[in-house]
Amino acid sequence: MSAEALFCAELSKIKRHLIIKSVQRAVLDASLILLSIWAVLLFIERLEFKILSDNTFRYGISIGISLLAALLIAVVRRKNLQNILIDIDSRLKFQDRLSTAYEYQHSGKKSDLLAFLLEDAAQHLHQLQAKHMAPTKFSVAHLALVFLLVLNVALYSSDFWGPGSRQTVVNQEQIEKARTLLRNYTQSRIGDKQAKKKSSGNAVYTRQLERLTNRLNDPDLNQDMLSVSFNALLKELHSEQARLADELNAKLNTLGIEGVPVQPIPEPGKLSSQKIEKLKALLKSALNNQIPDSLNQDIETLQEFYSLQELLSQIIDDLKVDDSNSDEYALSQTHQTRMSQQANGGKKPPGDEQRHETHGKISDRKQGRAGTTGSPASDQSLDDGSDDLDGSGLHDENDLSAGHAKSVQRKKSRDEIEKSTGPGLQDKLSSAQEEKYRLYIRSLGTVGESILKEENIIQAYRQEIENILQKEDIPLNYREYIKHYFISIGLKTEAEAYDAK
Amino acid sequence: MTPNEKTDAIRKNFELVINELSKIIVGQELVTKHLFICLLCGGHVLIEGVPGLGKTLIVRSLSKILDLAYSRIQFTPDLMPADILGTNIVKEDGKGSRYFEFYKGPIFGQLILADEINRASPKTQSALLEAMQEEKITVFGTEYVLEPPFMVLATQNPIEMEGTYPLPEAQIDRFFFKLKISYPGHQELHEIITKTTEDYQPDLKRVIGADSILEMKSLVKQVPIATHVKDHAIRLVLASHPDNSDATGLIKEYVLFGASPRGVQSMILAGKVSALIDGRYNVSIEDINEVAKPALRHRIALNIRGETEGIDVDHVVEEILSHVQPK
């Protein structure tokens, strides 16, 4: 065998080894990229952003990207054999034998000593072991691979062993049943509404329920989407309640009826204490967006909830049906109330207080949040949350029971301005605590028609405001807010206010 | 003679020369190796050292080992170019007619010792220029080719400045190597005393003839050298230039101008011989680095600041070698 053939044979060994090394490196790069992508996806999913819902598609895409990127990196990082031989020469102190021999053999340069050089290089290559050709070093890439592996395992295992995942696997059947129940429920509700459609003419509510049913009939509906649908349904119920209450309130205000007794709840006494407790739990959990908790219940419990939910819907329907009759009923009730007040020398009838208390309880049940104790203070503090839920931001317990008796403080401020002829404005503050300081304001009437002097009205307003602002429990920023509000409507400056006084 | 035989001959001859020289010269192995390299490369050597270190002795011993025509020129301030090159003299034949006959000077040898070359005037020094570069001389319009192998070994004293004429840069550049003879150590001095103060008469043999030298010289240029090794030599030379991007702060501060292209030629040729001596058939980066000092030290000129601050050119070359790493 000639020196050149011997050298080429030895070189081919190096080439084979380098190809294996390149493939190993590409696999390492691909693994790094793949694990990075998976870690990012898992992390994003933990933040509840859904990028790719289909697992097969997601894994296919990520593996494809990783392999493509690793291939590109391998192509970019590709070294020619000459540089590899130079590296071997310098590492193994071969004094540039291999690189010089390869260059002369590869480029066809002539030299009298070339044959001896090739033979010499081949001998050195023959002594070379595979581990010396391209030694594997524990590099940063290996360290990163270990780190990413641990990170992925941690993210995946926490996801797998987490309560959500376990319950998803175990309660898949229950979720399906709940979905069926919910679908049947909404369909029955739509059927009821369509039956009443001709009489009530409330097409908007029916359309909303139809849309909800269509969403529930979607075969691709997963757990998250199911939760969203539950939330949407509850929002619809809540907003419908609020809307009916608003309508009733507006009609009562138009008729000038101040106090209307709350429509008694249909046969609440017949509810067993166990059902009342369950109703409480349902309302606390379901109306407070605790749908996943509700889903964790047994299917029997869900069926009971379903019956209770039907009861709730009947209550809402009754409120809606009674909406048309509320005018006559409110007039008669106002008359009765005024008569009883005159007879009691301005005192409220005991039944009124009881009614108010009862209504408060019911409205608390309607708008209360899970985790609260049910006390009036805690229920009030949760009103802001319910406003966010239904999106209106203005409905509170008084809105739902429009026309019931107002507080003494409100009545007092109202008496002072009741002779004014301008349109009424109600300053509603979203905070439950500020509700205690609700003011009724009337705009200025037409010049010459006013019974009270403007100065008197302003003075009365000012006193009221000062009293309120003196309260220590009003936060500073609210004080400024209130002050600026009243300055903007008439009390322009402090100096002017004093001048007017 | 096959190339392999020639390569073996180079190694053997080198060992013979070193062994013979070691009979007279104590230590200085690197100097003797570089002398041998210069001989095979066809270059000339400038040997620098303080008096008494055996500069002249090395050259005289080498002339005895090599079977070459040896001449010695003692450079003095009144030495004229004709004293080196030779001159035409008037001769008269038997018929009474006169004619000019060229009387060859000491330059017509093969191994020329130009002792204390810096003591002659620049005019006389420049008489060597043509001979060193082209291995021929021109006298009165007539060219005379010098017999190969032709090698000039010049010596100079670096500390004695009185009555000396520093060699012009053009002439310095024509020296292949500049070798520095260092002080011997304690053990070497012991050996020197033993050899010189006792009855020691070494018998030096002529080990290499002119033909062998020419055959070995023909093989030197056949030694393969890789492109990256050439690049390394080029980068070394370029780094010696103060205006080059690879130049270090020391070079920018103290160097007036760097090595010429003859510096690269010297390094690569010397590297080839070094590889052959080492039993290899290719030039390595280590070969280039090994010969960088003698090949570059006389080609780098320090500026006035470097001269006044006493910067050693060898230190500059070391800086270049440490800065320019093989790619």
Side-chain angles (χ1 to χ4, degrees):
Chain A
M1 190 181 258
S2 68
E4 190 171 356
L6 197 66
F7 180 70
C8 289
E10 294 294 336
L11 265 187
S12 61
K13 283 184 195 172
I14 289 192
K15 284 178 184 171
R16 274 199 301 273
H17 187 76
L18 289 173
I19 287 169
I20 293 168
K21 279 282 171 188
S22 300
V23 170
Q24 284 176 353
R25 181 70 202 191
V27 169
L28 177 66
D29 290 339
S31 307
L32 278 174
I33 296 162
L34 186 65
L35 289 173
S36 305
I37 292 171
W38 283 354
V40 170
L41 284 177
L42 284 169
F43 188 73
I44 288 172
E45 279 175 11
R46 282 183 151 260
L47 296 176
E48 308 208 348
F49 289 104
K50 275 278 181 190
I51 297 175
L52 294 169
S53 56
D54 188 5
N55 279 347
T56 311
F57 187 61
R58 181 175 62 182
Y59 292 136
I61 286 275
S62 55
I63 289 169
I65 288 171
S66 308
L67 288 176
L68 195 65
L71 193 67
L72 281 174
I73 290 168
V75 169
V76 169
R77 211 167 37 193
R78 179 182 82 240
K79 279 184 180 177
N80 61 9
L81 189 58
Q82 174 72 14
N83 289 337
I84 291 162
L85 291 173
I86 289 171
D87 181 53
I88 293 172
D89 278 334
S90 61
R91 272 193 294 108
L92 303 177
K93 310 286 181 198
F94 280 173
Q95 296 188 299
D96 302 296
R97 280 183 173 89
L98 307 183
S99 53
T100 309
Y102 176 73
E103 186 181 326
Y104 271 69
Q105 186 259 340
H106 189 67
S107 61
K109 289 182 184 174
K110 303 283 182 191
S111 170
D112 290 346
L113 298 173
L114 183 58
F116 304 106
L117 176 63
L118 291 175
E119 194 179 344
D120 186 32
Q123 282 175 3
H124 278 81
L125 277 176
H126 187 68
Q127 294 165 3
L128 202 62
Q129 293 176 359
K131 63 181 179 183
H132 294 138
M133 289 179 191
T136 306
K137 295 173 187 170
F138 190 77
S139 61
V140 178
H142 291 87
L143 196 67
L145 182 69
V146 172
F147 171 73
L148 283 170
L149 264 173
V150 171
L151 182 69
N152 272 273
V153 167
L155 282 171
Y156 184 75
S157 59
S158 66
D159 207 32
F160 182 77
W161 297 109
S165 175
R166 262 203 325 272
Q167 286 165 2
T168 304
V169 176
V170 174
N171 296 335
Q172 192 66 36
E173 206 172 314
Q174 291 187 358
I175 289 168
E176 279 301 317
K177 286 179 181 175
R179 182 192 292 181
T180 311
L181 280 171
L182 189 63
R183 193 182 297 128
N184 294 336
Y185 165 71
T186 49
Q187 281 171 353
S188 64
R189 289 298 309 276
I190 289 167
D192 293 345
K193 293 296 165 191
Q194 280 175 345
K196 293 177 183 177
K197 192 177 175 182
K198 289 174 185 175
S199 59
S200 64
N202 193 354
V204 177
Y205 183 50
T206 308
R207 277 200 299 274
Q208 287 171 348
L209 283 171
E210 280 174 355
R211 279 202 299 274
L212 185 62
T213 311
N214 291 335
R215 257 183 284 164
L216 288 169
N217 285 328
D218 189 356
D220 295 332
L221 195 69
N222 56 21
Q223 188 185 1
D224 294 336
M225 293 168 74
L226 193 63
S227 300
V228 171
S229 300
F230 269 115
N231 288 337
L233 171 66
L234 291 167
K235 279 183 184 177
E236 295 292 342
L237 289 172
H238 201 87
S239 62
E240 185 59 19
Q241 289 172 352
R243 190 187 64 76
L244 290 170
D246 279 346
E247 281 180 8
L248 190 58
N249 190 21
K251 285 179 181 176
L252 289 171
N253 280 342
T254 310
L255 295 169
I257 300 166
E258 291 181 5
V260 178
V262 178
Q263 177 72 14
I265 295 168
E267 301 176 354
K270 288 182 180 178
L271 285 172
S272 64
S273 60
Q274 190 185 357
K275 285 203 169 187
I276 286 171
E277 286 302 316
K278 285 185 177 177
L279 180 61
K280 274 184 187 177
L282 173 70
L283 290 171
K284 278 181 183 178
S285 60
L287 294 177
N288 198 24
N289 293 333
Q290 297 294 320
I291 295 304
D293 288 346
S294 301
L295 291 176
N296 292 334
Q297 303 295 326
D298 298 330
I299 196 68
E300 291 81 8
T301 315
L302 282 172
Q303 284 171 348
E304 286 178 8
F305 284 163
Y306 172 62
S307 61
L308 292 170
Q309 190 76 1
E310 276 189 330
L311 181 64
L312 181 65
S313 67
Q314 283 171 11
I315 294 167
I316 295 164
D317 290 341
D318 291 335
L319 280 171
K320 193 179 171 189
V321 169
D322 290 336
D323 186 18
S324 57
N325 302 323
S326 62
D327 292 350
E328 293 172 12
Y329 182 78
L331 277 171
S332 62
Q333 287 297 318
T334 308
H335 182 68
Q336 285 175 9
T337 309
R338 280 182 179 171
M339 290 296 288
S340 63
Q341 279 177 353
Q342 283 172 3
N344 293 330
K347 287 182 181 176
K348 281 186 178 179
D352 196 358
E353 285 180 11
Q354 192 180 354
R355 253 196 331 265
H356 182 73
E357 190 182 345
T358 311
H359 167 73
K361 282 181 182 174
I362 296 300
S363 61
D364 285 346
R365 285 170 191 161
K366 285 177 181 174
Q367 294 198 338
R369 292 289 173 262
T372 58
T373 58
S375 66
S378 59
D379 288 341
Q380 273 186 342
S381 66
L382 288 164
D383 281 345
D384 291 340
S386 68
D387 289 342
D388 292 338
L389 181 67
D390 62 29
S392 65
L394 288 170
H395 307 295
D396 56 9
E397 61 181 35
N398 290 317
D399 293 330
L400 292 174
S401 58
H404 72 81
K406 304 291 190 297
S407 68
V408 178
Q409 287 175 336
R410 272 179 279 156
K411 218 166 187 178
K412 183 185 175 186
S413 62
R414 192 182 212 176
D415 291 337
E416 290 176 2
I417 57 170
E418 65 184 346
K419 292 176 182 175
S420 176
T421 57
L425 292 171
Q426 190 175 10
D427 178 29
K428 289 185 178 179
L429 300 174
S430 57
S431 167
Q433 199 173 4
E434 286 168 7
E435 200 176 329
K436 294 175 184 174
Y437 311 108
R438 179 172 297 177
L439 296 173
Y440 284 86
I441 303 153
R442 289 191 186 279
S443 64
L444 295 175
T446 313
V447 177
E449 293 179 357
S450 186
I451 299 167
L452 278 174
K453 287 185 178 180
E454 186 182 348
E455 292 80 21
N456 295 338
I457 297 169
I458 291 170
Q459 194 174 0
Y461 266 78
R462 177 162 185 78
Q463 284 173 355
E464 192 72 19
I465 293 158
E466 283 176 350
N467 289 334
I468 292 165
L469 293 177
Q470 289 304 316
K471 302 278 186 186
E472 287 185 0
D473 52 352
I474 297 177
L476 276 175
N477 52 346
Y478 278 88
R479 287 185 197 178
E480 288 297 310
Y481 176 78
I482 294 163
K483 195 171 82 178
H484 285 306
Y485 174 73
F486 286 107
I487 286 170
S488 70
I489 63 169
L491 305 177
K492 291 182 180 173
T493 60
E494 292 282 334
E496 285 177 7
Y498 276 112
D499 292 343
K501 194 174 180 181
Chain B
M1 207 176 198
T2 62
N4 201 23
E5 287 170 348
K6 285 181 186 175
T7 312
D8 290 341
I10 287 174
R11 278 199 298 275
K12 282 176 187 170
N13 287 328
F14 173 70
E15 285 170 9
L16 283 172
V17 169
I18 294 295
N19 287 338
E20 286 301 312
L21 273 178
S22 63
K23 291 177 182 174
I24 300 290
I25 308 298
V26 178
Q28 311 293 352
E29 288 85 4
L30 197 60
V31 173
T32 51
K33 183 184 177 183
H34 287 158
L35 279 172
F36 187 77
I37 289 170
C38 251
L39 178 70
L40 294 195
C41 292
H44 312 285
V45 183
L46 177 64
I47 302 169
E48 190 177 86
V50 293
L53 293 184
K55 301 186 290 291
T56 310
L57 181 65
I58 289 174
V59 180
R60 274 199 291 116
S61 305
L62 193 65
S63 68
K64 287 176 186 173
I65 293 165
L66 304 175
D67 189 12
L68 299 173
Y70 169 71
S71 7
R72 173 177 177 163
I73 309 166
Q74 186 66 45
F75 279 66
T76 56
D78 58 348
L79 188 75
M80 300 302 288
D83 298 332
I84 298 170
L85 303 177
T87 186
N88 286 326
I89 56 168
V90 180
K91 277 203 170 179
E92 191 174 339
D93 59 6
K95 295 177 183 175
S97 56
R98 294 175 181 173
Y99 62 95
F100 282 106
E101 187 180 303
F102 182 66
Y103 183 80
K104 289 181 179 177
I107 196 76
F108 284 88
Q110 288 175 308
L111 194 66
I112 313 295
L113 171 59
D115 207 7
E116 296 190 271
I117 190 171
N118 56 340
R119 289 195 177 275
S121 66
K123 183 183 176 184
T124 310
Q125 289 170 354
S126 64
L128 283 171
L129 283 176
E130 189 183 6
M132 288 169 70
Q133 184 63 36
E134 299 175 25
E135 297 188 2
K136 68 179 180 60
I137 57 165
T138 306
V139 180
F140 293 113
T142 308
E143 285 187 358
Y144 298 93
V145 178
L146 302 172
E147 190 182 354
F150 177 75
M151 184 182 185
V152 176
L153 296 111
T155 66
Q156 71 172 8
N157 184 353
I159 56 171
E160 210 170 321
M161 290 291 121
E162 194 75 26
T164 60
Y165 301 92
L167 288 169
E169 302 301 335
Q171 190 167 355
I172 283 185
D173 198 33
R174 278 169 171 77
F175 284 104
F176 191 83
F177 273 178
K178 180 182 179 180
L179 305 178
K180 280 187 174 178
I181 296 183
S182 57
Y183 253 95
H186 186 269
Q187 189 62 36
E188 290 168 340
L189 272 174
H190 256 289
E191 204 173 335
I192 288 167
I193 290 164
T194 308
K195 284 181 179 175
T196 52
T197 58
E198 293 174 10
D199 189 17
Y200 177 71
Q201 295 292 333
D203 184 22
L204 296 177
K205 295 175 189 170
R206 293 186 181 272
V207 291
I208 311 172
D211 292 340
S212 298
I213 293 170
L214 290 175
E215 272 194 24
M216 288 189 289
K217 272 179 76 175
S218 67
L219 186 70
V220 168
K221 292 192 177 177
Q222 293 292 326
V223 177
I225 178 169
T227 308
H228 70 278
V229 181
K230 286 180 194 169
D231 286 342
H232 180 70
I234 290 165
R235 285 170 59 223
L236 285 178
V237 167
L238 290 176
S240 68
H241 292 260
D243 54 348
N244 191 271
S245 58
D246 282 342
T248 61
L250 182 81
I251 290 159
K252 285 179 179 169
E253 197 171 354
Y254 296 115
V255 173
L256 184 63
F257 54 84
S260 68
R262 283 195 182 102
V264 189
Q265 292 169 354
S266 300
M267 280 195 290
I268 288 178
L269 271 177
K272 289 184 174 188
V273 179
S274 178
L276 288 173
I277 289 171
D278 201 28
R280 277 180 288 112
Y281 302 98
N282 69 293
V283 184
S284 69
I285 286 172
E286 288 83 358
D287 294 325
I288 299 292
N289 287 344
E290 188 194 327
V291 297
K293 267 191 190 176
L296 296 180
R297 61 162 65 112
H298 58 295
R299 291 187 167 98
I300 295 171
L302 298 177
N303 57 21
I304 189 68
R305 194 171 168 197
E307 295 284 356
T308 52
E309 292 190 17
I311 299 295
D312 188 4
V313 182
D314 279 7
H315 180 57
V316 174
V317 178
E318 282 169 9
E319 172 99 358
I320 293 168
L321 287 172
S322 62
H323 181 67
V324 178
Q325 294 295 324
K327 282 185 177 175

